[in-house]
Amino acid sequence: MEKIDPSAYRNIVFFTGAGMSAECGVPTYRGKGGIWNQYDYGEYACQKAFERDPEKVLRFHELRRRAVLDCQPHAGHRVVAGMPRSILVTQNIDGMHQRAGSMNVIELHGSLWRLRCDPCGSMREDPGDDYETLRCDCGNWLRPDITWFGDMLDESVMRMATEAIASCDLFISIGTSGSVWPAAGFPSLARDAGAFCIEINPEPSGAICYDLVIRGSASEALPSLFVS
Ligand code: OAD
């Protein structure tokens, strides 16, 4: 396999999706065993569902939190965390990168470990398995600080991600099906910026033509991708 010398690049961007966490035991969203094959997102992952039955939606997210806490980051997460001059943009809400030591993670779709109250604008970290509370101090239901179907992405987070990608010279996409926008447009943005683009995914993602495609798994491909 072609090895990459990271010292030849000034700005490296890792861009990850659910496939990055798959080998930890966290299910992906699509494909075999995918969350959206098992659960109807219209019942659990959109604002309308939350307004209809907030407790049901919060309990679903609690289940997901418990499942994630049973899992551990793998060697691929540690490679990403240890890479100098790199920025990490993730669609993952599971916090697995941070547990492996990544700092300043750009979380495009929010985090399972934060709750917010839209009526009063407050935000709280909640790192346990069960939520500490389902209600804000103001009395309203708290909601997971996650981008659900139909939600807009946080503008400042989106700006940080696009700025990083538009100025990178090495772009490594790992474990994403490229089917959710606007994140699905990131590989093209990197290619248009002139970056060397790599994809790690056991399945074709239908995205742009990458300069290097590794049809392998994140935990095996990442540790052997770079010259040491
Ligand atoms: P998907 O479930 O759509 O795609 C997962 C991708 O990971 C697929 O292309 C798999 O082939 C690949 N994959 C599976 N195992 C892998 C492994 N061991 N190593 C590398 N790749 C592997 O997940 P995303 O693209 O992340 O949104 O989905 C995008 C968004 O859709 C998610 O962020 C989520 C979902 O609705 C929110 O939660 C807001």
Side-chain angles (χ1 to χ4, degrees), residues 9-14 85 87 161-172 186-187 189-197:
Y9 297 92
R10 280 174 298 122
N11 300 308
I12 302 170
V13 168
F14 290 99
R85 295 180 312 286
I87 292 180
T162 49
E163 279 172 15
I165 294 164
S167 55
C168 75
D169 52 2
L170 178 62
F171 178 84
I172 305 168
F186 287 170
L189 183 63
R191 188 192 49 192
D192 293 348
F196 187 79
C197 295

Side-chain angles (χ1 to χ4, degrees), residues 16-20 22-23 27-31 34 36 64 74 91-93 109 146-149 174-180 200-205 216-219:
T16 63
M20 182 77 200
E23 291 157 280
T28 59
Y29 294 96
R30 297 167 188 80
W36 304 142
R64 295 194 56 198
H74 57 61
Q91 296 167 90
N92 297 346
I93 57 177
H109 293 161
I146 287 170
T147 310
W148 283 329
F149 286 87
I174 308 148
T176 177
S177 61
S179 46
V180 173
I200 298 174
N201 193 323
E203 306 285 335
S205 68
S217 78
S219 77

